[in-house]
Structures are given as structure tokens and as C-alpha cells.
Amino acid sequence: IREGIEQQEEEQDLGRPLRVLVVDDNLINLRVATRALARMPNIVIDTATNRVEALDKVTGGSGHLSDRVPYDTIFMDVQMPIMDGIEATMMIRKLEGSHGHVNIVGLSA
């Protein structure tokens, strides 16, 4: 996780904190990832425990994107009930359209 964030920080000087969404249905895994990211400077972490929460946070509750995804990186659990991380990623990609792509990293424990 740390290497991916450090690389992204080097690639783009945002002039603002890096916004990250961590999505995992396992609360222990969610806590571990969040604590690891929290050690890094200049980062704002948001969490979701399922794809419904994740899509709600990505769209601001509207169900669609009016501009761009409000996160610089999304860490997405690959295996979640109802809809796995791959399907959720495909939905985010569809919502993004021509707005550009957010970095989405698959997680598996």
C-alpha cells in the first residue's frame, strides 16, 4: 500500500491531501489497511464496508458522477458478498465515462 501511495504522490503534486477510499467487508482487514495508511502524511482516508456504501461515496449519493471521482485512489476488497470488488470496479469505471480514471487497487487477504 505504502509504495503505491508514495508513487502516486511523486507522480502528481496535488497541492492538497491525497484522498483515499478503503472498501472491505471484513472489519479487521479494514482497520489494518486504514491504520497502515494513517501513518502516511497528507492523506485523508474514507471507508466503506460494501459496494453499496462505496458507490454512494464515489457518487456523493446521487448515483452518478457530475464531475470526477472524489478519490485519488480506491483500495477495493476483491471478495465481498452480494457484489465483489471486481464488479464494483466495473460499475465505477462505467460511471466515470470520459471523466478520467481513479486508481483502483484490488485487495485480497
Side-chain angles (χ1 to χ4, degrees), residues 6 8-9 16-18 21 48 56 64 67 85 91 94 107:
E6 287 172 351
Q8 185 169 1
E9 286 176 339
R16 62 173 171 74
L18 190 67
L21 175 63
D56 188 51
H64 68 279
D67 187 18
M91 290 184 75
K94 187 180 242 183
L107 299 177

Side-chain angles (χ1 to χ4, degrees), residues 49-105:
T49 58
N50 58 56
R51 65 105 183 154
V52 174
E53 286 180 18
L55 292 173
D56 188 51
K57 290 182 184 233
V58 165
T59 64
S62 68
H64 68 279
L65 288 174
S66 58
D67 187 18
R68 62 176 293 277
V69 174
Y71 299 101
D72 300 299
T73 300
I74 299 174
F75 292 95
M76 179 82 68
D77 181 16
V78 174
Q79 296 181 0
M80 291 186 289
I82 301 172
M83 178 182 286
D84 65 32
I86 294 172
E87 291 174 286
T89 297
M90 290 182 350
M91 290 184 75
I92 291 169
R93 292 291 183 239
K94 187 180 242 183
L95 287 170
E96 287 176 316
S98 62
H99 295 296
H101 290 300
V102 63
N103 298 314
I104 301 176
V105 179

Side-chain angles (χ1 to χ4, degrees), residues 4-14 103:
I5 293 294
E6 287 172 351
Q7 179 181 356
Q8 185 169 1
E9 286 176 339
E10 289 174 10
E11 290 175 0
Q12 52 184 322
D13 181 17
L14 300 174
N103 298 314

